Amino acid sequence: APELLHKKLSYKADIFSLGATLLEIASSMNLPQNGELWTMLRDGSKIQFSPTARRSDQLTRLINEMMAPDPESRPTIHEILRNRSLAAIVEQ
């Protein structure tokens, strides 16, 4: 999470990390530890899946919210667990 670069620890950093993990799972990509893509995601660039990707707009929106550069903009774990797109994945 971007705030970890400034040694600001909170559960919101875990939300960012969970969003990154969901991104990797949903897109079948392996995020680099450094590099241009990682910097762009950390700085708030929106995730854009390919047009042929079979992901709901809700899931894409959730991942973008979880990876927001501002920790206060990220959802809480309770909000995430109530999200319909995630609940559908968990139920499968």
Coordinates of all heavy atoms in Angstrom, one line a residue:
A1 N 0.8 -1.2 0.0 CA 0.0 0.0 0.0 C 0.9 1.2 0.0 O 2.0 1.2 0.6 CB -0.9 0.0 1.2
P2 N 0.4 2.3 -0.6 CA 1.3 3.5 -0.7 C 1.7 4.1 0.6 O 2.8 4.5 0.8 CB 0.4 4.5 -1.5 CG -0.7 3.7 -2.1 CD -0.8 2.5 -1.4
E3 N 0.8 4.0 1.6 CA 1.1 4.6 2.9 C 2.2 3.8 3.6 O 2.9 4.3 4.5 CB -0.1 4.6 3.8 CG -0.7 3.3 4.2 CD -1.8 2.8 3.2 OE1 -1.8 3.3 2.0 OE2 -2.6 2.0 3.6
L4 N 2.5 2.6 3.3 CA 3.6 1.8 3.9 C 4.9 2.4 3.5 O 5.9 2.2 4.3 CB 3.5 0.3 3.5 CG 2.3 -0.4 4.0 CD1 2.3 -1.9 3.5 CD2 2.2 -0.4 5.5
L5 N 5.0 3.1 2.4 CA 6.2 3.8 2.0 C 6.6 4.9 3.0 O 7.8 5.3 3.1 CB 6.1 4.4 0.6 CG 5.9 3.4 -0.5 CD1 5.7 4.1 -1.8 CD2 7.1 2.4 -0.6
H6 N 5.6 5.3 3.8 CA 5.8 6.4 4.8 C 5.6 5.8 6.2 O 5.5 6.6 7.1 CB 4.8 7.5 4.6 CG 4.8 8.1 3.2 ND1 5.9 8.9 2.7 CD2 4.0 7.9 2.1 CE1 5.7 9.2 1.4 NE2 4.5 8.6 1.0
K7 N 5.7 4.5 6.3 CA 5.7 3.8 7.6 C 4.4 4.1 8.3 O 4.4 4.1 9.6 CB 6.9 4.1 8.4 CG 8.2 3.7 7.7 CD 9.3 3.8 8.6 CE 10.6 3.6 7.9 NZ 11.0 2.4 7.3
K8 N 3.3 4.3 7.6 CA 1.9 4.4 8.3 C 1.2 3.1 8.2 O 0.7 2.7 7.1 CB 1.2 5.5 7.6 CG 1.8 6.9 7.7 CD 1.0 8.0 7.0 CE 1.7 9.3 7.2 NZ 1.0 10.4 6.5
L9 N 1.1 2.4 9.3 CA 0.5 1.1 9.3 C -1.0 1.2 9.8 O -1.3 1.9 10.7 CB 1.3 0.2 10.2 CG 2.8 0.1 10.0 CD1 3.4 -0.8 11.0 CD2 3.0 -0.5 8.6
S10 N -1.8 0.4 9.1 CA -3.2 0.3 9.6 C -3.8 -0.9 8.8 O -3.2 -1.4 7.9 CB -4.0 1.6 9.2 OG -4.3 1.7 7.9
Y11 N -5.0 -1.2 9.2 CA -5.7 -2.3 8.6 C -6.1 -2.0 7.1 O -6.3 -2.9 6.3 CB -6.9 -2.8 9.3 CG -8.1 -1.9 9.2 CD1 -9.1 -2.1 8.2 CD2 -8.3 -0.8 10.1 CE1 -10.1 -1.2 8.1 CE2 -9.3 0.1 9.9 CZ -10.3 -0.1 8.9 OH -11.3 0.7 8.8
K12 N -6.1 -0.7 6.8 CA -6.4 -0.3 5.4 C -5.3 -0.7 4.5 O -5.6 -0.9 3.3 CB -6.6 1.3 5.4 CG -7.8 1.8 6.1 CD -9.1 1.4 5.3 CE -10.3 2.1 6.0 NZ -11.4 2.1 5.1
A13 N -4.1 -0.9 5.0 CA -3.0 -1.4 4.1 C -3.3 -2.9 3.8 O -3.0 -3.3 2.6 CB -1.7 -1.3 4.8
D14 N -3.9 -3.6 4.7 CA -4.3 -5.0 4.4 C -5.4 -5.0 3.4 O -5.5 -5.9 2.5 CB -4.8 -5.7 5.7 CG -3.7 -5.8 6.7 OD1 -2.5 -5.9 6.3 OD2 -4.0 -5.9 7.9
I15 N -6.3 -4.1 3.4 CA -7.4 -4.0 2.4 C -6.7 -3.8 1.0 O -7.1 -4.4 0.0 CB -8.4 -2.8 2.7 CG1 -9.1 -3.1 4.0 CG2 -9.4 -2.6 1.6 CD1 -9.9 -4.3 4.1
F16 N -5.8 -2.9 0.9 CA -5.0 -2.7 -0.4 C -4.4 -4.0 -0.8 O -4.5 -4.3 -2.0 CB -4.0 -1.6 -0.2 CG -3.3 -1.2 -1.4 CD1 -3.7 -0.1 -2.2 CD2 -2.2 -2.0 -1.9 CE1 -3.0 0.2 -3.4 CE2 -1.5 -1.6 -3.1 CZ -1.9 -0.5 -3.8
S17 N -3.8 -4.7 0.1 CA -3.1 -6.0 -0.3 C -4.1 -7.0 -0.7 O -3.9 -7.8 -1.7 CB -2.3 -6.5 0.9 OG -1.3 -5.6 1.2
L18 N -5.3 -7.1 -0.1 CA -6.3 -8.0 -0.5 C -6.8 -7.6 -1.9 O -7.1 -8.5 -2.7 CB -7.5 -8.0 0.5 CG -8.6 -8.9 0.2 CD1 -8.2 -10.4 0.1 CD2 -9.7 -8.8 1.3
G19 N -7.0 -6.3 -2.1 CA -7.4 -5.9 -3.5 C -6.3 -6.3 -4.5 O -6.7 -6.8 -5.6
A20 N -5.1 -6.2 -4.2 CA -4.0 -6.6 -5.1 C -4.1 -8.1 -5.4 O -3.9 -8.6 -6.5 CB -2.6 -6.2 -4.6
T21 N -4.4 -8.9 -4.3 CA -4.5 -10.3 -4.5 C -5.7 -10.7 -5.4 O -5.6 -11.5 -6.2 CB -4.6 -11.0 -3.1 OG1 -3.5 -10.7 -2.3 CG2 -4.8 -12.5 -3.2
L22 N -6.8 -10.0 -5.1 CA -8.0 -10.2 -5.9 C -7.7 -9.8 -7.4 O -8.2 -10.5 -8.3 CB -9.2 -9.4 -5.4 CG -9.9 -9.9 -4.2 CD1 -11.0 -9.0 -3.7 CD2 -10.5 -11.3 -4.4
L23 N -7.0 -8.8 -7.6 CA -6.6 -8.4 -9.0 C -5.8 -9.5 -9.6 O -6.1 -9.8 -10.8 CB -5.8 -7.1 -8.9 CG -5.2 -6.6 -10.3 CD1 -6.3 -6.4 -11.3 CD2 -4.4 -5.4 -10.1
E24 N -4.9 -10.0 -8.9 CA -4.1 -11.1 -9.5 C -4.9 -12.3 -9.8 O -4.8 -12.9 -10.9 CB -2.9 -11.5 -8.6 CG -1.8 -10.5 -8.5 CD -0.7 -10.9 -7.6 OE1 -0.9 -11.4 -6.5 OE2 0.5 -10.7 -8.0
I25 N -5.8 -12.7 -9.0 CA -6.7 -13.8 -9.2 C -7.7 -13.6 -10.4 O -7.8 -14.4 -11.3 CB -7.5 -14.2 -7.9 CG1 -6.6 -14.7 -6.9 CG2 -8.6 -15.2 -8.2 CD1 -7.2 -14.8 -5.5
A26 N -8.3 -12.4 -10.4 CA -9.3 -12.1 -11.4 C -8.7 -11.8 -12.7 O -9.4 -12.0 -13.7 CB -10.1 -10.8 -10.9
S27 N -7.4 -11.5 -12.8 CA -6.9 -11.2 -14.1 C -5.8 -12.2 -14.6 O -5.2 -12.1 -15.6 CB -6.2 -9.8 -14.1 OG -5.1 -9.8 -13.1
S28 N -5.5 -13.2 -13.7 CA -4.5 -14.1 -14.0 C -3.1 -13.5 -14.3 O -2.4 -13.9 -15.1 CB -4.9 -15.0 -15.2 OG -6.0 -15.8 -14.9
M29 N -2.9 -12.4 -13.6 CA -1.6 -11.7 -13.8 C -0.8 -11.8 -12.5 O -1.4 -12.0 -11.4 CB -1.8 -10.2 -14.2 CG -2.2 -9.3 -13.1 SD -2.1 -7.5 -13.5 CE -3.2 -7.3 -14.8
N30 N 0.5 -11.7 -12.6 CA 1.4 -11.7 -11.4 C 1.9 -10.3 -11.3 O 2.7 -9.9 -12.2 CB 2.5 -12.7 -11.6 CG 3.3 -12.8 -10.4 OD1 3.0 -12.3 -9.3 ND2 4.4 -13.6 -10.5
L31 N 1.5 -9.5 -10.3 CA 1.9 -8.2 -10.2 C 3.4 -8.1 -9.8 O 3.8 -8.8 -8.9 CB 1.1 -7.4 -9.1 CG -0.3 -7.2 -9.4 CD1 -1.0 -6.5 -8.2 CD2 -0.5 -6.3 -10.7
P32 N 4.2 -7.3 -10.5 CA 5.6 -7.1 -10.1 C 5.7 -6.4 -8.8 O 4.9 -5.6 -8.4 CB 6.1 -6.3 -11.3 CG 5.0 -5.5 -11.8 CD 3.8 -6.4 -11.6
Q33 N 6.8 -6.6 -8.1 CA 7.1 -6.0 -6.9 C 7.4 -4.5 -7.1 O 7.2 -3.7 -6.2 CB 8.2 -6.7 -6.1 CG 7.9 -8.1 -5.7 CD 6.7 -8.1 -4.7 OE1 6.6 -7.3 -3.8 NE2 5.8 -9.0 -5.0
N34 N 8.0 -4.2 -8.2 CA 8.4 -2.8 -8.5 C 8.1 -2.6 -10.0 O 7.5 -3.5 -10.7 CB 9.9 -2.6 -8.3 CG 10.2 -2.5 -6.8 OD1 9.5 -1.8 -6.1 ND2 11.2 -3.3 -6.4
G35 N 8.4 -1.5 -10.6 CA 8.2 -1.3 -12.0 C 7.1 -0.4 -12.3 O 6.3 0.1 -11.4
E36 N 6.9 -0.1 -13.5 CA 5.9 0.9 -13.9 C 4.5 0.6 -13.6 O 3.7 1.4 -13.1 CB 6.1 1.2 -15.4 CG 5.2 2.3 -15.9 CD 5.4 2.6 -17.4 OE1 6.4 2.1 -18.0 OE2 4.5 3.2 -18.0
L37 N 4.1 -0.7 -13.9 CA 2.7 -1.1 -13.6 C 2.4 -1.0 -12.1 O 1.4 -0.5 -11.7 CB 2.4 -2.5 -14.1 CG 1.1 -3.1 -13.7 CD1 -0.1 -2.3 -14.3 CD2 1.0 -4.5 -14.2
W38 N 3.3 -1.5 -11.3 CA 3.1 -1.5 -9.8 C 3.0 0.0 -9.3 O 2.2 0.3 -8.5 CB 4.2 -2.2 -9.1 CG 4.0 -2.2 -7.6 CD1 4.9 -1.7 -6.7 CD2 2.9 -2.8 -6.9 NE1 4.3 -1.9 -5.4 CE2 3.2 -2.6 -5.6 CE3 1.8 -3.5 -7.3 CZ2 2.3 -3.0 -4.6 CZ3 0.9 -3.9 -6.3 CH2 1.2 -3.7 -5.0
T39 N 3.9 0.9 -9.8 CA 3.9 2.3 -9.4 C 2.5 2.9 -9.8 O 1.9 3.6 -9.1 CB 5.0 3.0 -10.1 OG1 6.3 2.4 -9.6 CG2 5.0 4.5 -9.7
M40 N 2.1 2.6 -11.0 CA 0.8 3.2 -11.5 C -0.4 2.7 -10.6 O -1.2 3.5 -10.2 CB 0.5 2.8 -13.0 CG 1.5 3.4 -13.9 SD 1.3 2.8 -15.6 CE -0.4 2.8 -15.9
L41 N -0.4 1.4 -10.3 CA -1.5 0.9 -9.4 C -1.4 1.5 -8.0 O -2.4 1.9 -7.5 CB -1.4 -0.6 -9.3 CG -1.7 -1.4 -10.6 CD1 -1.4 -2.9 -10.4 CD2 -3.2 -1.2 -11.0
R42 N -0.2 1.6 -7.5 CA 0.0 2.2 -6.2 C -0.4 3.6 -6.1 O -1.0 4.1 -5.1 CB 1.4 2.0 -5.7 CG 1.6 2.3 -4.3 CD 3.1 2.1 -3.9 NE 3.9 3.0 -4.7 CZ 5.1 2.6 -5.2 NH1 5.5 1.4 -5.1 NH2 5.8 3.5 -5.9
D43 N -0.2 4.3 -7.2 CA -0.6 5.8 -7.3 C -2.0 6.0 -7.7 O -2.4 7.2 -7.8 CB 0.4 6.5 -8.3 CG 1.8 6.5 -7.8 OD1 2.0 6.3 -6.5 OD2 2.7 6.8 -8.6
G44 N -2.8 5.0 -7.9 CA -4.2 5.1 -8.1 C -4.7 5.0 -9.5 O -5.9 5.3 -9.8
S45 N -3.9 4.5 -10.4 CA -4.4 4.2 -11.8 C -5.5 3.1 -11.7 O -5.3 2.1 -11.0 CB -3.3 3.7 -12.7 OG -2.4 4.7 -13.0
K46 N -6.6 3.3 -12.4 CA -7.7 2.4 -12.4 C -7.3 1.1 -13.1 O -6.6 1.2 -14.2 CB -8.9 3.0 -13.0 CG -9.5 4.2 -12.3 CD -10.0 3.8 -10.9 CE -10.6 5.0 -10.2 NZ -10.7 4.9 -8.8
I47 N -7.8 0.0 -12.6 CA -7.5 -1.3 -13.3 C -8.4 -1.4 -14.5 O -9.6 -1.1 -14.4 CB -7.7 -2.4 -12.3 CG1 -6.7 -2.4 -11.2 CG2 -7.7 -3.8 -13.0 CD1 -7.2 -2.1 -9.9
Q48 N -7.9 -1.7 -15.6 CA -8.7 -1.9 -16.8 C -8.4 -3.4 -17.3 O -7.3 -3.7 -17.8 CB -8.3 -0.9 -17.9 CG -8.7 0.5 -17.4 CD -8.3 1.5 -18.5 OE1 -7.6 1.2 -19.5 NE2 -8.8 2.7 -18.3
F49 N -9.5 -4.2 -17.2 CA -9.4 -5.5 -17.8 C -9.6 -5.5 -19.3 O -10.2 -4.5 -19.8 CB -10.4 -6.4 -17.1 CG -10.2 -6.6 -15.6 CD1 -11.0 -6.1 -14.7 CD2 -9.1 -7.4 -15.2 CE1 -10.8 -6.3 -13.3 CE2 -8.9 -7.6 -13.8 CZ -9.7 -7.1 -12.9
S50 N -9.2 -6.5 -19.9 CA -9.4 -6.5 -21.4 C -10.9 -6.6 -21.6 O -11.7 -7.1 -20.8 CB -8.7 -7.7 -22.0 OG -9.4 -8.9 -21.7
P51 N -11.4 -6.1 -22.8 CA -12.8 -6.2 -23.1 C -13.4 -7.6 -23.1 O -14.6 -7.8 -22.9 CB -12.9 -5.5 -24.5 CG -11.6 -4.8 -24.7 CD -10.6 -5.5 -23.8
T52 N -12.5 -8.6 -23.4 CA -13.0 -10.0 -23.4 C -13.0 -10.6 -22.0 O -13.4 -11.8 -21.9 CB -12.2 -10.8 -24.4 OG1 -10.8 -10.7 -24.0 CG2 -12.3 -10.2 -25.8
A53 N -12.5 -9.9 -21.0 CA -12.5 -10.5 -19.7 C -13.9 -10.8 -19.2 O -14.8 -10.0 -19.4 CB -11.7 -9.6 -18.7
R54 N -14.0 -11.9 -18.5 CA -15.3 -12.3 -17.9 C -15.4 -11.9 -16.4 O -15.4 -12.7 -15.6 CB -15.5 -13.7 -18.1 CG -15.7 -14.1 -19.6 CD -15.8 -15.6 -19.8 NE -16.7 -16.2 -18.8 CZ -16.9 -17.5 -18.6 NH1 -16.2 -18.3 -19.3 NH2 -17.7 -17.9 -17.6
R55 N -15.4 -10.6 -16.2 CA -15.5 -10.1 -14.8 C -16.6 -9.1 -14.8 O -16.8 -8.3 -15.7 CB -14.2 -9.4 -14.4 CG -13.1 -10.4 -14.0 CD -11.8 -9.8 -14.2 NE -10.8 -10.9 -14.5 CZ -10.5 -11.3 -15.7 NH1 -11.1 -10.9 -16.7 NH2 -9.7 -12.3 -15.8
S56 N -17.3 -9.1 -13.7 CA -18.4 -8.1 -13.5 C -17.8 -6.7 -13.3 O -16.7 -6.5 -12.8 CB -19.3 -8.5 -12.4 OG -18.6 -8.3 -11.1
D57 N -18.6 -5.7 -13.7 CA -18.2 -4.3 -13.4 C -18.1 -4.1 -11.9 O -17.3 -3.3 -11.4 CB -19.3 -3.4 -14.0 CG -19.2 -3.3 -15.5 OD1 -18.1 -3.7 -16.1 OD2 -20.2 -2.9 -16.1
Q58 N -19.0 -4.8 -11.1 CA -19.0 -4.7 -9.7 C -17.6 -5.2 -9.1 O -17.1 -4.5 -8.2 CB -20.1 -5.6 -9.1 CG -21.4 -4.9 -8.9 CD -22.3 -5.8 -8.1 OE1 -22.4 -7.0 -8.3 NE2 -23.0 -5.2 -7.2
L59 N -17.1 -6.3 -9.6 CA -15.8 -6.8 -9.1 C -14.7 -5.8 -9.5 O -13.8 -5.5 -8.6 CB -15.6 -8.2 -9.6 CG -14.3 -8.8 -9.1 CD1 -14.2 -8.9 -7.6 CD2 -14.0 -10.2 -9.8
T60 N -14.7 -5.3 -10.7 CA -13.7 -4.4 -11.1 C -13.7 -3.1 -10.2 O -12.7 -2.6 -9.8 CB -13.9 -4.0 -12.6 OG1 -13.8 -5.2 -13.4 CG2 -12.8 -3.0 -13.0
R61 N -15.0 -2.6 -10.0 CA -15.1 -1.4 -9.1 C -14.6 -1.7 -7.7 O -13.9 -0.9 -7.1 CB -16.6 -1.0 -9.1 CG -16.9 0.3 -8.6 CD -18.3 0.8 -8.8 NE -19.3 -0.2 -9.0 CZ -19.9 -0.6 -10.1 NH1 -19.5 0.0 -11.3 NH2 -20.8 -1.5 -10.2
L62 N -14.9 -2.9 -7.2 CA -14.5 -3.3 -5.8 C -13.0 -3.3 -5.7 O -12.4 -2.7 -4.8 CB -15.1 -4.6 -5.4 CG -14.6 -5.2 -4.0 CD1 -15.0 -4.3 -2.9 CD2 -15.1 -6.6 -3.8
I63 N -12.3 -3.9 -6.7 CA -10.9 -4.0 -6.7 C -10.3 -2.6 -6.7 O -9.3 -2.3 -6.0 CB -10.4 -4.9 -7.8 CG1 -10.8 -6.3 -7.6 CG2 -8.8 -4.8 -8.0 CD1 -10.5 -7.3 -8.7
N64 N -10.8 -1.7 -7.6 CA -10.4 -0.4 -7.7 C -10.5 0.4 -6.4 O -9.6 1.1 -5.9 CB -11.1 0.4 -8.8 CG -10.4 0.1 -10.2 OD1 -9.2 0.2 -10.3 ND2 -11.3 -0.2 -11.1
E65 N -11.7 0.2 -5.7 CA -11.9 0.8 -4.4 C -10.9 0.3 -3.3 O -10.4 1.1 -2.5 CB -13.3 0.6 -3.9 CG -14.4 1.3 -4.7 CD -15.8 0.9 -4.4 OE1 -16.0 0.0 -3.6 OE2 -16.7 1.4 -5.0
M66 N -10.7 -1.0 -3.4 CA -9.7 -1.6 -2.4 C -8.3 -1.1 -2.6 O -7.5 -1.0 -1.6 CB -9.8 -3.1 -2.5 CG -11.1 -3.7 -2.0 SD -11.2 -5.4 -2.3 CE -10.1 -6.1 -1.1
M67 N -8.0 -0.7 -3.8 CA -6.6 -0.3 -4.1 C -6.5 1.2 -4.3 O -5.5 1.7 -4.8 CB -6.1 -1.0 -5.4 CG -6.0 -2.5 -5.2 SD -5.3 -3.4 -6.6 CE -3.6 -2.7 -6.6
A68 N -7.4 1.9 -3.7 CA -7.4 3.4 -3.8 C -6.1 3.9 -3.0 O -5.8 3.3 -2.0 CB -8.6 4.0 -3.1
P69 N -5.4 4.9 -3.6 CA -4.2 5.4 -2.9 C -4.5 6.0 -1.6 O -3.6 5.9 -0.7 CB -3.6 6.4 -3.9 CG -4.7 6.7 -4.9 CD -5.7 5.6 -4.8
D70 N -5.7 6.6 -1.4 CA -6.0 7.2 -0.1 C -6.6 6.1 0.8 O -7.7 5.6 0.5 CB -7.0 8.3 -0.3 CG -7.5 8.9 1.0 OD1 -6.9 8.7 2.1 OD2 -8.5 9.7 1.0
P71 N -6.0 5.8 1.9 CA -6.5 4.7 2.8 C -7.9 4.9 3.2 O -8.7 4.0 3.4 CB -5.5 4.7 3.9 CG -4.3 5.4 3.5 CD -4.8 6.3 2.4
E72 N -8.3 6.2 3.5 CA -9.7 6.5 4.0 C -10.7 6.2 2.9 O -11.9 6.1 3.2 CB -9.7 7.9 4.5 CG -8.8 8.1 5.7 CD -9.0 7.1 6.8 OE1 -10.2 6.9 7.2 OE2 -8.1 6.6 7.3
S73 N -10.3 6.1 1.6 CA -11.3 5.9 0.5 C -11.6 4.4 0.4 O -12.5 4.0 -0.3 CB -10.7 6.4 -0.8 OG -10.6 7.8 -0.7
R74 N -10.8 3.6 1.0 CA -10.9 2.1 0.8 C -12.1 1.6 1.7 O -12.3 2.1 2.8 CB -9.6 1.4 1.2 CG -8.5 1.7 0.3 CD -7.2 1.0 0.8 NE -6.1 1.8 0.2 CZ -4.9 2.0 0.9 NH1 -4.7 1.4 2.0 NH2 -4.0 2.7 0.3
P75 N -12.8 0.6 1.2 CA -13.9 0.0 2.0 C -13.3 -0.7 3.2 O -12.2 -1.1 3.3 CB -14.6 -0.9 1.0 CG -13.5 -1.3 0.1 CD -12.6 -0.1 0.0
T76 N -14.2 -0.9 4.2 CA -13.9 -1.7 5.4 C -14.1 -3.2 5.0 O -14.7 -3.5 4.0 CB -14.8 -1.4 6.6 OG1 -16.1 -1.8 6.2 CG2 -14.7 0.1 6.9
I77 N -13.5 -4.1 5.8 CA -13.7 -5.5 5.6 C -15.2 -5.9 5.6 O -15.6 -6.7 4.8 CB -12.9 -6.4 6.5 CG1 -12.8 -7.8 6.1 CG2 -13.4 -6.2 7.9 CD1 -12.2 -8.0 4.7
H78 N -16.0 -5.2 6.4 CA -17.4 -5.5 6.5 C -18.1 -5.1 5.2 O -19.0 -5.8 4.7 CB -18.0 -4.8 7.7 CG -17.4 -5.2 9.0 ND1 -17.6 -6.5 9.5 CD2 -16.6 -4.6 9.9 CE1 -16.9 -6.6 10.7 NE2 -16.3 -5.5 10.9
E79 N -17.7 -4.0 4.7 CA -18.3 -3.5 3.4 C -17.9 -4.5 2.3 O -18.7 -4.8 1.4 CB -17.8 -2.1 3.0 CG -18.4 -1.1 4.0 CD -17.8 0.3 3.8 OE1 -16.6 0.4 3.4 OE2 -18.4 1.3 4.1
I80 N -16.7 -5.0 2.3 CA -16.2 -5.9 1.3 C -17.0 -7.2 1.4 O -17.5 -7.8 0.4 CB -14.7 -6.2 1.4 CG1 -13.9 -4.9 1.1 CG2 -14.3 -7.3 0.6 CD1 -12.5 -5.0 1.5
L81 N -17.2 -7.7 2.6 CA -17.9 -9.0 2.7 C -19.3 -8.9 2.4 O -19.9 -9.9 2.0 CB -17.7 -9.5 4.2 CG -16.3 -9.9 4.6 CD1 -16.2 -10.2 6.0 CD2 -15.8 -11.1 3.7
R82 N -19.9 -7.7 2.4 CA -21.3 -7.5 2.0 C -21.4 -7.3 0.5 O -22.5 -7.3 0.0 CB -21.9 -6.4 2.8 CG -22.2 -6.7 4.2 CD -23.1 -5.6 4.8 NE -22.5 -4.3 4.8 CZ -21.9 -3.7 5.8 NH1 -21.7 -4.3 6.9 NH2 -21.4 -2.5 5.6
N83 N -20.3 -7.2 -0.2 CA -20.3 -6.9 -1.6 C -20.9 -8.1 -2.4 O -20.4 -9.2 -2.2 CB -18.9 -6.5 -2.1 CG -18.9 -6.1 -3.5 OD1 -19.1 -6.9 -4.4 ND2 -18.8 -4.8 -3.8
R84 N -21.8 -7.9 -3.2 CA -22.5 -9.0 -4.0 C -21.5 -9.7 -4.9 O -21.6 -11.0 -5.0 CB -23.7 -8.5 -4.8 CG -24.8 -8.1 -3.9 CD -25.9 -7.6 -4.8 NE -27.0 -7.1 -4.0 CZ -28.0 -6.4 -4.5 NH1 -28.2 -6.3 -5.8 NH2 -28.9 -5.9 -3.6
S85 N -20.7 -9.0 -5.6 CA -19.8 -9.7 -6.5 C -18.8 -10.6 -5.8 O -18.5 -11.6 -6.3 CB -19.0 -8.6 -7.4 OG -18.2 -7.8 -6.6
L86 N -18.3 -10.2 -4.7 CA -17.4 -11.1 -3.9 C -18.2 -12.2 -3.3 O -17.7 -13.4 -3.3 CB -16.7 -10.3 -2.8 CG -15.6 -11.0 -2.1 CD1 -14.5 -11.5 -3.1 CD2 -15.0 -10.1 -1.0
A87 N -19.4 -12.0 -2.8 CA -20.2 -13.1 -2.2 C -20.4 -14.2 -3.3 O -20.4 -15.4 -2.9 CB -21.5 -12.5 -1.7
A88 N -20.7 -13.8 -4.5 CA -20.9 -14.8 -5.6 C -19.7 -15.6 -5.8 O -19.8 -16.8 -6.0 CB -21.3 -14.1 -6.8
I89 N -18.5 -15.0 -5.7 CA -17.3 -15.8 -5.9 C -17.1 -16.8 -4.7 O -16.7 -17.9 -4.9 CB -16.1 -14.8 -6.0 CG1 -16.2 -14.0 -7.3 CG2 -14.8 -15.6 -6.0 CD1 -15.2 -12.9 -7.4
V90 N -17.3 -16.3 -3.5 CA -17.1 -17.1 -2.3 C -18.0 -18.3 -2.3 O -17.6 -19.4 -1.9 CB -17.2 -16.2 -1.1 CG1 -17.2 -17.1 0.2 CG2 -16.1 -15.2 -1.0
E91 N -19.2 -18.1 -2.8 CA -20.2 -19.2 -2.8 C -19.9 -20.3 -3.8 O -20.4 -21.4 -3.6 CB -21.6 -18.6 -3.0 CG -22.1 -17.7 -1.9 CD -23.4 -17.0 -2.2 OE1 -24.0 -17.3 -3.3 OE2 -23.9 -16.2 -1.4
Q92 N -19.1 -20.0 -4.8 CA -18.9 -21.0 -5.8 C -18.0 -22.1 -5.3 O -17.3 -22.4 -4.7 CB -18.2 -20.4 -7.0 CG -19.2 -19.5 -7.7 CD -18.6 -18.9 -9.0 OE1 -17.4 -19.1 -9.3 NE2 -19.3 -18.1 -9.7

